[in-house]
Amino acid sequence: MVHKCLIIGSGPAGYTAAIYAARAGLSPILYTGKDPGGQLMITNEVENYPGFPDGVIGPEMMNLFIKQAERFGTDIRYELIDKVDFSGPIHKVWSDQGTELEAHTVIIATGASAKWLGIPSETKLMNKGVSACAVCDGFFFRGKEVAVVGAGDTACEEAHYLSKLCKKVYLIVRRDEMRASKIMQERVLNTPNIEVIWNAVTDEILGEEEVTGARLKNTVDGSTRQIDVNAFFIAIGHSPNTAIFKDWLDMDEIGYLIASPGSAKTNREGVFVSGDAQDKVYRQAITAAGTGCMAALDAERYLSEKGIV
Ligand code: NDP
């Protein structure tokens, strides 16, 4: 059987595509991937998504997306798509459980993943105090001293979140300025228990069975400094989850997929892209949802033009 619409990914882009595709009668199948719900599952308060005047917690928001997609009959499958073949008019995908499917349209909504520092002590102490998710793990370090690395909105958001739980938060910034928006920077700089350490890179995260501290190196004078912390949160950006598409789809040098302007169309007919997999500029839940909608409408039009629906 050739399915009408297959969606790969389960963040705001994937579920919005599913809601639109399901309501249009495309009977979409949505593969969640290995991190169902995507980045919002590791996000605390979302205050800027319209319709939630009091804010909403990321995982709660994803549950609402799931309910809405299921209400219209989306077939949600908790498997990872690990291979695709976009060579013909009928697209083929394979899941890590060995399932092979064929579809007339594929909507990619695979998002992006957190980046890591890449030092051995980070790997050694992963989940023993090293984390990329303050919301998931901050709770375990209530009343303790912790560190956050990064200088973007994510790092500021995490530092601020942790400042409400922890005794002290060090924010480790590798330059003498932050990339984060002004409002987020001000929030951090005005929080008494956040100390920003400027011009510092992480030499090593210290500890054997659990994080006990970190050794930082000053990038200006080369001096080192040790901080005693129980947790080390990495918040240094993301990379797009697009490796399985590299033989088929146009992407930029980082791996972000390229949609033709004003649409969700890729260079392959019937394959559409949405969300953070194609967006390195805005990267918001609302823009991901918006492009998920675009992808579903483009898929529906494509199917209609081909006389499939
Ligand atoms: P960004 O790419 O914006 O920032 C990454 C930060 O990490 C940069 O400051 C970078 O430093 C630093 N960094 C990168 N590699 C290293 C390293 N090896 N060691 C130390 N520091 C490093 O990522 P974010 O995840 O913060 O944000 C991504 C996007 O999401 C942005 O557009 C942001 O605005 C948005 N966002 C919006 C939010 C909101 O509106 N509420 C919340 C969170 C994110 P350098 O500056 O020196 O390159």
Side-chain angles (χ1 to χ4, degrees), residues 244-264:
I244 59 167
F245 309 116
K246 73 174 180 349
D247 291 339
W248 309 104
L249 301 179
D250 290 344
M251 49 180 73
D252 71 8
E253 66 288 349
I254 305 171
Y256 286 94
L257 295 173
I258 296 170
S260 52
S263 84

Side-chain angles (χ1 to χ4, degrees), residues 28 46 49 71 80 85 98 217 226 248 295:
V46 180
Y49 199 93
R71 178 179 160 204
L80 171 76
D85 178 343
K217 188 170 172 188
Q226 187 174 318
W248 309 104

Side-chain angles (χ1 to χ4, degrees), residues 168-202:
K168 174 154 190 175
V169 181
Y170 295 97
L171 180 62
I172 303 161
V173 176
R174 68 177 172 182
R175 292 185 291 137
D176 61 358
E177 59 179 358
M178 291 192 217
R179 182 186 294 249
S181 54
K182 202 167 184 311
I183 185 171
M184 298 296 273
Q185 290 195 37
E186 277 169 5
R187 201 176 284 180
V188 158
L189 295 170
N190 292 328
T191 304
N193 64 337
I194 300 180
E195 178 184 333
V196 180
I197 304 180
W198 303 98
N199 298 310
V201 291
T202 310

Side-chain angles (χ1 to χ4, degrees), residues 82-101:
D82 58 6
K83 189 179 155 196
V84 300
D85 178 343
F86 294 155
S87 58
I90 305 287
H91 307 299
K92 290 185 186 164
V93 311
W94 289 264
S95 90
D96 60 347
Q97 305 296 309
T99 318
E100 180 181 337
L101 285 103

Side-chain angles (χ1 to χ4, degrees), residues 48 117 151-154 157 174-175 179 236-238 283-284:
N48 50 12
L117 294 174
D153 281 332
T154 305
E157 198 177 69
R174 68 177 172 182
R175 292 185 291 137
R179 182 186 294 249
I236 60 168
H238 298 84
R283 297 188 282 201
Q284 300 298 301

